[in-house]
Amino acid sequence: MSHFFAPERYDTPEFTIRACQPGDGKLLHDALTTSADHLRPFLYWLTFDATLEEHEQLVRTYYSKYLAKTDFIHGVFAPDGTRLLGWTGFLLRGRTVEHGTGEIGMWISATEAGKGLGTRVLKQMLHWGFTAWPWQRIEWKCDTLNLASAAVARKAGMRLEGTFRQDHPMPDGTRCDTHYFAMLREEYRPDEE
Ligand SMILES: CC(C)(COP(=O)(O)OP(=O)(O)OC[C@H]1O[C@@H](n2cnc3c(N)ncnc32)[C@H](O)[C@@H]1OP(=O)(O)O)[C@@H](O)C(=O)NCCC(=O)NCCS
C-alpha cells in the first residue's frame, strides 16, 4: 500500500495550481460556459452543457479521486482565488502513482489563452511534478492539428517521442493523429523553468 500523500497546492506569483474541491463548481461552470467555442474543437468531451449543480458534483468527484489517488485534477486560479484561469492535472490513465508516469492535461480559458499562460503553467507543472511528486516520466499528448498545444509542449522543453496515426476517434467519424511528448526526471533542468 502506498504512503504517498499527494500535494494539493502550488503557488506562484501569477497563479495558484490546486486540487479542485467542493465549492469550485461555480468557477468551473462559468469558465466552461464562456470558453466553450474555444475549447470544443479539441476537448469536445468536456461538460459544456452541464448545469451548475452537475459541475459542483463533478468537482466533488474529482476531489474524491484525488484522495483515492486515481487522478489528480487541478484548477489554475488567480492568486486571490476569485477567477479560474484554466484547468490542468496529472492523469494516471488507469495506472497507479507507483507506476511513476503522469500525463499532464490542460485547458486555458478563452479570455486568458494566447498570452503565454499555457506555457508558463506547463513549466510550473513540470517543476512541481519533478520536485514534489514521484513522477519519473511526465507525458503530454495532443492532436497533431492542435498547433498551440504542440507549441506549448515544445516551449516547455518536452520531447516529441512519436506520432500515433489515427490514434483517436473524433465526433465527425474521422480519426486524429496524436503527438506524444514526454520529459523524464533526469532531463528536467530546474534552471530552465
Ligand atoms: C492549448 C492551450 C492549453 C495553450 O495555452 P495558451 O496559453 O493559449 O498558449 P500560449 O499562449 O502559451 O502559446 C504557446 C504557443 O502556441 C502558439 N499558438 C497559439 N495558438 C496557435 C495557433 N492557433 N496556431 C499556431 N500556434 C499557436 C503561440 O504562438 C505560442 O508560441 P509563441 O510564444 O512562440 O508565439 C490553450 O490554447 C487551450 O486551452 N486550448 C484549447 C484546449 C486544448 O486544446 N487543450 C490542450 C489539449 S492537448
Side-chain angles (χ1 to χ4, degrees), residues 38-39 42-43 106-108 112-119 141-142 146-149 151-152 155:
H38 161 62
L39 300 177
F42 293 110
L43 302 181
M106 186 189 299
W107 54 259
I108 299 295
E112 308 300 325
K115 302 175 184 172
L117 181 62
T119 305
K141 298 172 187 169
C142 68
N146 195 343
L147 302 180
S149 181
V152 163
K155 286 162 69 79

Side-chain angles (χ1 to χ4, degrees), residues 122-133:
L122 181 54
K123 287 181 176 179
Q124 294 292 347
M125 285 292 281
L126 291 169
H127 177 75
W128 195 31
F130 287 129
T131 55
W133 293 74

